Amino acid sequence: TIVALLTKVIARPEVGQLIIVDDASTDGSLAAIRQCLTRLPQRRTADVIHLPINRGKGGAVARGFAIVNQPFVVIQDADLEYDPADYATLIAPLLAGQSRVVFGSRFLRPPAKGAARIPLHDAGNHFLSWLTSWLYGIRLTDMNTCYKCFDSQLLAQLRCTERGFGLEPQLTAQLLAAAGSIVEVPISYTARSFAEGKKIRWQHGFRQLWVLVRE
């Protein structure tokens, strides 16, 4: 899915800097990425980072954070569940000064007709979002969203030590501490199945619970 995803990202006018972290892939992704970037429009930059040892999403995101040079940051998974067409929606509250952190919520917009969802995952996400809201005194509907968008000046206050799915609650807690508020906007979402490569399992929720309490 990497080429299909990059094609969409490259087409977005909001993108000034593109940081791609290849997390020790062995399937030819790196060559496909470099070929795709030959179509990058002028006045945009792309940094490709290859990690020789798999460090998990947390490690990959932290490595990418280290070289951000634009005013805003958005995290993008490469599995096509999230649509880059939502970038404008994500950055609008930042540009308006409503908050320095914006989350794209999968639950503020009805699922597309015929879209497959995993009820157990949705239930887990709802519970973890409720717990986050209760622990931190805010109202969140989707703590686990990939689309976390924020002012890049906040990067100096983040400590991304979680390497797996614990990254989501850790980032949520630290961004809230740094910015004081989180605004949510509705986004589109097309869930993929386990057969298509979805990796998160219910067991990962225990780590996220621990991280929420620890943070």
Side-chain angles (χ1 to χ4, degrees), residues 22-180:
D22 180 89
D23 198 18
S25 67
T26 59
D27 61 357
S29 288
L30 195 58
I33 288 166
R34 288 172 173 158
Q35 175 62 32
C36 188
L37 291 180
T38 61
R39 305 195 299 270
L40 192 70
Q42 291 183 344
R43 297 184 300 279
R44 299 196 198 174
T45 62
D47 298 278
V48 181
I49 300 168
H50 175 68
L51 302 180
I53 299 174
N54 187 283
R55 297 175 59 190
K57 180 176 178 177
V61 166
R63 183 65 182 84
F65 281 171
I67 61 170
V68 169
N69 63 23
Q70 295 292 302
F72 304 132
V73 183
V74 62
I75 301 169
Q76 173 76 59
D77 286 345
D79 56 15
L80 298 180
E81 288 191 327
Y82 294 80
D83 189 349
D86 286 320
Y87 288 172
T89 301
L90 288 165
I91 67 172
L94 300 176
L95 293 171
Q98 296 176 13
S99 178
R100 300 178 73 189
V101 182
V102 179
F103 282 13
S105 174
R106 296 165 289 179
F107 303 111
L108 290 179
R109 178 182 294 173
K113 186 176 181 180
R117 297 293 288 265
I118 303 174
L120 184 60
H121 277 193
D122 283 357
N125 283 325
H126 287 313
F127 172 73
L128 288 165
S129 297
W130 171 84
L131 183 63
T132 305
S133 301
W134 182 72
L135 287 172
Y136 293 96
I138 58 173
R139 183 182 182 277
L140 278 184
T141 64
D142 196 1
M143 180 277 292
N144 260 322
T145 180
C146 164
Y147 270 176
K148 293 175 168 65
C149 184
F150 55 92
D151 184 334
S152 61
Q153 292 184 354
L154 299 177
L155 288 169
Q157 301 179 57
L158 303 182
R159 301 171 290 100
C160 295
T161 57
E162 289 292 320
R163 294 301 181 234
F165 293 106
L167 173 72
E168 306 299 353
Q170 184 175 54
L171 268 181
T172 299
Q174 293 182 9
L175 286 169
L176 181 61

